[in-house]
Amino acid sequence: MNQDTRELAKLRAAFTAPATAAPPPEDCPSPETIWAAVRGELPPQALREVVDHTARCAACAEDWRLAVEVDRQEAAQAAETAPGKVIVGRFGRFRQLAAAAALAAGLLVAVGVYRQAIVPSQPIYREAQQTQVRSLLPAGQPLPRQAAVLRWTPLPGAVSYDVSVSTEDLRQVATAQGQTAAEYRLPPAALSGLPAGARLLWQVDAIFPDGHHVTSPTFTTPLQ
Amino acid sequence: MRRLGRSDTVISDSQKETAGSSTDFAQLHRDLVRAVDRVCPRWMADKADDLVQVALMRVMEIQRKKGGTAEFTPFYLRRAAFSAMIDEIRRLRRRQEVSLEGGGEEDEPVAFDPAAPSPDPERASAGREVGRAIRDCLSGLVPPRRHAVTLNLQGHSVPEIGKLLGWTAKKAENLVYRGMSDLRGCLGEKGIRS
């Protein structure tokens, strides 16, 4: 991981550190506005105003990141399933209709798969799951000191990974370069000075043969 | 009704009738909990299940009031659940603030403490201090650079920033690069080295 990447990881970690005070809610954009902004559905000026607000409001910055996360999950799921699914109120009354609809949806999927097999199509979503590095550690579960292994989703085509680990106050804990496996075992000595429950911030840089790299979000993992 | 587990959801039989497919809600519940776990500080992530449950109950209530006859696309459902969840998170943040001010109202004592995400308060405080310095520096950047840097610090890639703000990839890259340079300079003046 180069110096710029490490620095960016540290700045991102600091920027996303939880704030102590919540702003008056009337000063903040509505959740619907943040949702629309993240999805690029706002007019340019309105979008810039929301971004400006998140630049000074840690709470709304957090709301923004939540919207991004939910949006990406939706995109990833939608990429795996057929579009056009509709949830109907009082669904239980129409089970037979639902079964028929499910059958039709299944047929649509089958047709879609067939068409995709013979007619390559452009990807729809900007963040396909396979282009993102994601943490494979169970959320919130403390990392054991003696077997502190960070794991992430491998990216197809990546030749190596650089890893940077720091504490919340941006002190570097460990770095590793040229990892060929999608995991990194932290040396116990690097963790010896950290108290139980300390939060580790870590980031992965996937390196590709042509030199370009894909940087993961900053993951947070508590230390046992 | 029973409480939610991470792999389960709480939907009573009567609610199922008005809510549509319980499978959709269960999936949505899992997605929202995962999002809170990944993004929010520990004090909130620990309560992700409860938080998301309250949000989804509100969405179901909206459906019930509409007589359960309206159609809800997964997109609509997700947006409504997100909004309800953020409302709930903001309510919790405000309760925390009221509690710290000593002006607690009728609610039970607040267990959430965003000021103590780590058992080491000094480290957490140092992290917040740098965060405050970054925000202060951002306010001094010219708007295009501020927008680019803010989104970059939020974890967006340069192509994503370009798409969101309607810039070419080259322009987005330039603004991120120059903005980050400004930010580093400003932090350096404050005695903070990244």
Side-chain angles (χ1 to χ4, degrees):
Chain A
M1 184 176 292
N2 60 38
Q3 179 64 31
D4 286 347
T5 308
R6 275 199 298 275
E7 180 200 42
L8 179 59
K10 289 179 179 180
L11 290 175
R12 280 177 172 171
F15 185 69
T16 57
T20 47
E26 60 272 16
D27 292 347
C28 295
S30 70
E32 291 80 8
T33 302
I34 291 177
W35 178 258
V38 164
R39 295 174 68 95
E41 296 168 354
L42 285 185
Q45 184 53 36
L47 174 66
R48 284 165 173 73
E49 286 172 8
V50 176
V51 174
D52 265 340
H53 183 86
T54 62
R56 58 181 185 272
C57 174
C60 284
E62 196 169 79
D63 296 346
W64 178 288
R65 291 192 296 279
L66 267 172
V68 170
E69 189 66 38
V70 175
D71 185 45
R72 284 177 176 167
Q73 286 176 11
E74 181 193 16
Q77 283 170 20
E80 295 171 359
T81 58
K85 188 178 169 195
V86 173
I87 299 171
V88 180
R90 297 196 185 282
F91 195 66
R93 292 185 179 183
F94 303 102
R95 289 191 186 282
Q96 288 183 336
L97 186 59
L103 181 62
L107 286 172
L108 277 174
V109 170
V111 170
V113 168
Y114 175 71
R115 284 191 60 192
Q116 197 166 24
I118 58 174
V119 183
S121 59
Q122 293 295 316
I124 297 170
Y125 298 98
R126 68 178 188 273
E127 286 291 341
Q129 203 164 25
Q130 287 198 326
T131 63
Q132 287 183 11
V133 175
R134 292 184 175 278
S135 168
L136 291 178
L137 300 185
Q141 187 169 312
L143 196 63
R145 283 173 183 271
Q146 296 306 318
V149 182
L150 305 176
R151 292 190 174 87
W152 57 89
T153 53
L155 290 192
V159 291
S160 66
Y161 302 92
D162 293 349
V163 189
S164 175
V165 186
S166 67
T167 59
E168 278 184 300
D169 56 351
L170 307 186
R171 285 199 298 171
Q172 187 169 293
V173 173
T175 60
Q177 297 182 340
Q179 298 286 306
T180 52
E183 64 176 42
Y184 171 57
R185 180 180 291 270
L186 282 159
L191 306 174
S192 60
L194 300 177
R199 296 205 314 164
L200 296 176
L201 309 173
W202 56 284
Q203 194 173 42
V204 177
D205 215 12
I207 313 295
F208 289 81
D210 62 0
H212 91 273
H213 58 91
V214 172
T215 305
S216 76
T218 302
F219 307 115
T220 305
T221 301
L223 184 63
Q224 200 170 53
Chain B
M1 186 188 302
R2 57 199 165 81
R3 298 292 282 178
L4 276 174
R6 293 240 161 168
S7 59
D8 204 353
T9 191
V10 171
I11 303 172
S12 69
D13 290 342
S14 61
Q15 285 167 330
K16 277 182 186 175
E17 285 196 2
T18 57
S21 164
S22 60
T23 308
D24 291 302
F25 270 93
Q27 179 63 50
L28 185 55
H29 178 269
R30 280 193 293 273
D31 288 351
L32 295 179
V33 168
R34 196 178 303 130
V36 174
D37 275 344
R38 284 181 177 167
V39 173
C40 294
R42 200 180 64 173
W43 70 275
M44 201 187 293
D46 287 348
K47 300 292 176 189
D49 274 327
D50 292 338
L51 194 66
V52 172
Q53 181 180 334
V54 170
L56 288 182
M57 298 297 275
R58 282 183 49 193
V59 175
M60 290 178 191
E61 183 63 16
I62 293 169
Q63 285 185 303
R64 191 188 63 76
K65 284 179 178 170
K66 289 185 176 178
T69 54
E71 290 189 352
F72 293 95
T73 64
F75 166 75
Y76 172 88
L77 197 59
R78 193 165 287 258
R79 188 184 63 181
F82 170 79
S83 296
M85 182 174 73
I86 296 300
D87 284 343
E88 185 63 14
I89 287 172
R90 289 179 175 181
R91 193 181 68 81
L92 290 176
R93 286 188 190 127
R94 287 298 301 163
R95 281 178 61 192
Q96 170 64 19
E97 201 167 59
V98 168
S99 172
L100 290 175
E101 289 167 356
E105 297 171 3
E106 72 283 0
D107 290 330
E108 72 273 14
V110 179
F112 314 120
D113 184 6
S118 154
D120 185 342
E122 279 187 27
R123 284 167 189 264
S125 174
R128 281 198 296 269
E129 193 63 38
V130 179
R132 270 195 292 271
I134 291 174
R135 288 176 203 289
D136 188 44
C137 286
L138 284 176
S139 68
L141 300 188
V142 293
R145 293 184 188 182
R146 181 169 64 243
H147 300 147
V149 172
T150 300
L151 290 176
N152 195 30
L153 293 177
Q154 288 278 58
H156 289 280
S157 65
V158 169
E160 283 179 332
I161 293 169
K163 275 185 183 173
L164 271 173
L165 295 171
W167 297 334
T168 63
K170 189 66 185 169
K171 180 176 180 181
E173 188 177 6
N174 280 338
L175 288 168
V176 168
Y177 179 82
R178 290 165 199 260
M180 290 301 292
S181 177
D182 290 348
L183 176 62
R184 275 191 294 271
C186 176
L187 289 174
E189 288 173 7
K190 292 176 181 292
I192 296 172
R193 305 195 70 79
S194 53

